[in-house]
Structure formats: structure tokens, C-alpha cells
Amino acid sequence: MPSVLLRHLLALTLYLGCCTAAQADLLSALEQARDLQLADDPQWRQLLHWPADQRHSEVRDANFWLSEAAQPAAELAATLWALSQPGPYTEQHPLCRFPARRAFLQSRLDWSTTANPLEVCELLAEWQAMVRPTRVTLVFPAYHLNSPSSMFGHTLLRLDPPADPGWSDWLSFSVSFGADITQQDNSMLYAWKGLTGGYPGRFIVSPYFEKIQEYNGIENRDVWEYPLDLSPVETTRMVRHLWELKDIAFDYYFFDKNCSYRVLEMLEIARPGLELTEDFRWTAIPIDTIRAVGEAGLITRQDYRPARGTRLEARLAALPPEQQPWVKKLAADTSLLDHPDFQSLPAEQQAVIIDTAYEYLRFNNSKAALQPAVAARSHRLLRAINAGVATQPADPPRPGAPEESHHSRQLSLRLGERDGQGFSELGLRWSFHDLDDNAHGFLRGAQINIGAMRLRWAQDQLQLQQLDLVNILSLTPRDAFFSPWSWGVRFGLERAPFTLAQDLDWHLSGGGGGSWFWGRRWQSFALLQARVDAPWHMDRDPHLGLGPDLGLLYHGSNTHLLLRATQRWESTGLTEQEATLRATWHLGRQHSLRLNLTQAGPQGQTVPEYWLGWQHFFD
């Protein structure tokens, strides 16, 4: 407590019988801090990562604290005391470790006996001179379903220096927060630790071009950049605090205390008075935090940086269909550059094909060490590009911005009938996107739902019909140039449509296969799925099923259609079948109507079920 420290200081001063100017200044500052109740100041508590409605800080790392009590008042007194200590000003001196705390205290108190950290702290001054931050950009690498850590997207910050002539954002620095993962952890262990706080989380500052290569080049993710309306003073305030968090560990939680939540905290530090984190106590889905920053008036514009695969698709689409095969041929065998048929093409078309073949070769080898044969072909194509006519690559069409998509949570109402019995349903989905929801701002063929529940009222009874803890389906299209796998996994409780008894069962299903586009709007998929069911009351044996899952999707601007058929051969000897036709009409971005027709059950005993539902998306 400051009063305790103050009494000790006064006793020491009286014992020594003297009082230097620095001691007197410190005592005066402590008294002012107490009178102003500075320990309760929101800005001070933000610097300690101490939410107003919590009894503890979110930083448990002992290296962050100067006081043993680790309470706002004790830490304020300890900070004043530590900052007033004389040099030498090494990296460990509090004046060099806590420049943001020092700036805050000096702005509120009549206290000026400490040195300027940028003048006496060598390492801090060098780092500040290297980064030269005057502007901040919020960055959103879009969704990447094949990476469990990036299914919801990701947010980070870019620190930009003054826009001098010749400046490029490739030379900026990035600030990201992430889990400190051990290489030995597999995906399942990562998911468990990420959900339960098993990983420490840390801020990392790195060159921005590394992030471009990582997201655009290796992970093939489009990147959205949002320059923020922060002044140089606000930027400096945030960067000072970022320095204080160097090597400091937070508890990392995948759904709430994640990258996006920490980014919001940093913006609150930059501009005192912002209240961005209050609405994200339970979950902090990256795209929701982008919307919150936009609603706070901080976003000045959107910049789109397409992924390498997106740029390649645009180049391929610009080629006439009869010339596209040359791209694969040249990437595989550069001696075909001298083939008479290729040489007979106009020089401009040859140049476009060679340029696309070079990009295709790089794309296919972006995740592996470059082999000598690949390097030789790449070099040969590059020489051909330089020797040919100059071309202007086709720009990819700009997709819908992710923050313009529907909100993440969904409330639904349904009225329907199953085998002649009427029912009504109330549904709540915590996050985040269905296969046939409005795809504006999302990847087509992507579905990821966490925490979706439906309650059904039927025959004067209310019962849990479905609880999806995890429901992911990634239908990534294959074509002549790209051959990714599609996959899905689902886990939860449900009274499955294909069971006649409608018992509540645990289930875990998963599988893989392929997906293909037919024109711009039709997409088919074929998966092989396995499913394990276990009764909720454990009064029956679990059973296993295996079979095909076939579907056809129509992606209209305001309409989605889904035709889906599954069949499973069960370990019980039954054959279960399910056929669904579903139509969705999007009524604006946050509302939709859905009609669902299903015929499902054991072979020869299928029953019909149909319903009409209304969906509302909300924050």
C-alpha cells in the first residue's frame, strides 16, 4: 500500500535526519498520487492489464511486477520508488523497463526528477530508432480452415514509420500476440491446451515482410489491412507499453484471451477512454473485434493484399482455356519453351503463359525446401520472362470485406413436422458460419460452428435436440491446377434425423474427400465419413458407421441451395440413409429464411421431416 511505503520513507528520512531533493520529490509524488487516487485511474489499471470488473490482473508473470503485493496501489508506489533510483541505466533498470508507466506518472504528477529513458536507456533508444513508429495499421489475415489455429482468422498490428519517399510497408514491423507452442504438440493437444489456458501467450515484434510471406505465400491467405486513425502521440504511448511487455507471459485462451483481445487492449492503451474489450469477455472472434474497432471510428480505409494462390487464380482465369494447359506443361518441362506449337503463339500470349507458369511453379513449392531441379526450372522461366515482352498481371477481383459479413452469433426459430407430428424449435449458435449462410466476406464452401444448440418443443415436451460443440466442414475446390483435400469433423449431442427412436446420443464424425466447382455457382462434394454414436445414458453399446456423404451446392447472390445424401453401414447391421434438400433466402446481411426437407432413417423405414426457419445474426 502506498501509505505503508510512505510511512517507511518518512521514518527513514527522519532517522537519517536529512532529505535530499530527490527524496523530497518522491515523497511529494507519493502524496499527490494518494490524494489523486491515481491507483484507481483507468489508464493506470490498463497499464497493469487489470480490468475494472476483476479482482486480479491478467498478467501473472512475476517479471511484470515491482511490488510483492501486485496490487494497483502497491505497484504504483513501488514504480515511483523504482523509477527514482539512480543509474547506471541498464536494460534491467525500471526506468528502461517501464517507459509507459513513467510517462503516465509524469503526466499526472508534479514529478520530474527522473531521466528521459530515450536519452539514457541504450537498448530502448536503439529499438525506437529502428522501428520509428508513427502510424498503426490493423491487419487481418483471413480464414484458413486447414490450420486449427487460424480457423477464425487472426489479427495483428503493423507499426509504420513516417511515409518517407521510397518507404514500403514491407519495411514496417508487425506486432502479434500468440500462444508459445512447443513443436512436439500435435493438433489435438494444441486444441486442448488452447482451450484450457495451457499455453503462455507473448507479444512478438518481427519484420512485416515475414508476415506477408507467411500468410500470403505459405498459408495462402488473403490479408486485409486497416490503417488506423491514431496520432503519433497515441502511437508512441502504445509502443512504450509494448516495450514493457517484452518477454512477459500472459495466459493464452483460444476463444477469449487471444490475439484479437490483446490487440484491443493495446489500442485502449494508445487512446485512453476507448472501451473496446468490454464486449469480449467471453469470446473474441477476430472479425468481431475488427467491427468493434471500425465502430469506434478508428479505421480510415481498407487495403486488400491477395494471397499468392488468389493472384495465380486470377492469372489463370485471364488465359483462354486452350492456352491454360501450357502453364502446367512449362512448369514441369521448360524445354517446351522451344516447342514449335508454343513458339507459334503471339509474343504477348507467350509472355503471359510463361509468367503464370513461373508463379505456378513457385506456388507449388512454397512450403518445401527448393529442390535443385525446381530451382533450375524456375531460373529458366525467369530468364524467359526477362527476355520476353513486359506483361501486366491480371488483378484478382476484390472480394467482400470480411467485416462486412454477417455477425457471428445466430438466433433461429423453426416450425415443422416430423412423421406427422408438429414441432417448434429455438436455436442459438455462438459462432460462426454455416455452409449455406450468406457467404459475403467468407470462403465459399466453408463451415465452422462452435457451440450451436437447438431446443425442440414437440408432443408437449421440451427437449434438447442438438448440441454441436464442434462442427467444421472445409470444401476446398479441386481443379486442373489445384488439388486440396476437403474434410469435416463434428462432435456433440443430437437426436439424429436417421434414428427412429430419437434418443439423445453423443456422436463424433469425420472424414475427407474432394470438392469441385461447376461454373461459378455450382459446387459438388464427395466425402467418405465415419461416425461413432454413444447413448447419453450409456444404456446401449456405442456403434460405428461408415459411408459416403455426397452433396451439391448452389451459391447464389441471395439464395443458397443444398442437396445432400448420406448412407452409412452401421456395426449394428443397419443401413442408415438421409437425403436433404435445403433452400436459404438471404434477407439482407443479418436475416435469412430457410426451408428444409429431409427423408431419413434405417433403409426401408425412412420418415419425412420438414421445417421452415428464420435466422437472425447478432453480435
Side-chain angles (χ1 to χ4, degrees), residues 491-538:
F491 172 63
L493 281 162
E494 77 168 342
R495 302 178 196 275
F498 50 78
T499 59
L500 295 177
Q502 287 286 279
D503 294 323
L504 189 64
D505 287 348
W506 287 104
H507 69 91
L508 171 63
S509 61
S515 176
W516 300 264
F517 262 104
W518 305 93
R520 292 181 56 247
R521 298 192 179 278
W522 290 96
Q523 182 180 12
S524 63
F525 62 90
L527 308 176
L528 181 62
Q529 294 267 18
R531 174 173 171 132
V532 178
D533 287 86
W536 167 251
H537 295 295
M538 297 299 173

Side-chain angles (χ1 to χ4, degrees), residues 339-398:
H339 194 281
D341 289 345
F342 183 71
Q343 289 294 323
S344 67
L345 296 173
E348 293 79 7
Q349 293 181 13
Q350 287 186 40
V352 173
I353 293 171
I354 295 171
D355 182 69
T356 307
Y358 174 74
E359 292 297 328
Y360 181 66
L361 185 62
R362 290 185 60 196
F363 176 83
N364 279 342
N365 294 276
S366 60
K367 297 181 180 179
L370 197 60
Q371 300 297 317
V374 174
R377 278 181 278 154
S378 179
H379 182 62
R380 176 70 179 87
L381 290 171
L382 197 57
R383 283 193 288 126
I385 291 173
N386 292 331
V389 298
T391 62
Q392 181 62 40
D395 290 329
R398 187 185 177 101

Side-chain angles (χ1 to χ4, degrees), residues 431-506:
S431 66
F432 133 90
H433 179 70
D434 244 348
L435 199 62
D436 35 12
D437 284 339
N438 191 330
H440 184 87
F442 287 96
L443 300 173
R444 291 195 297 179
Q447 170 175 289
I448 175 169
N449 288 319
I450 304 292
M453 180 182 69
R454 287 190 290 117
L455 298 174
R456 175 173 290 190
W457 176 262
Q459 301 181 13
D460 297 328
Q461 285 188 331
L462 181 66
Q463 60 184 18
L464 176 65
Q465 189 69 15
Q466 178 183 325
L467 175 63
D468 276 344
L469 300 178
V470 176
N471 185 356
I472 300 171
L473 185 59
S474 173
L475 303 177
T476 312
R478 302 165 70 92
D479 58 27
F481 293 90
F482 307 99
S483 53
W485 290 103
S486 296
W487 60 278
V489 63
R490 187 173 170 225
F491 172 63
L493 281 162
E494 77 168 342
R495 302 178 196 275
F498 50 78
T499 59
L500 295 177
Q502 287 286 279
D503 294 323
L504 189 64
D505 287 348
W506 287 104

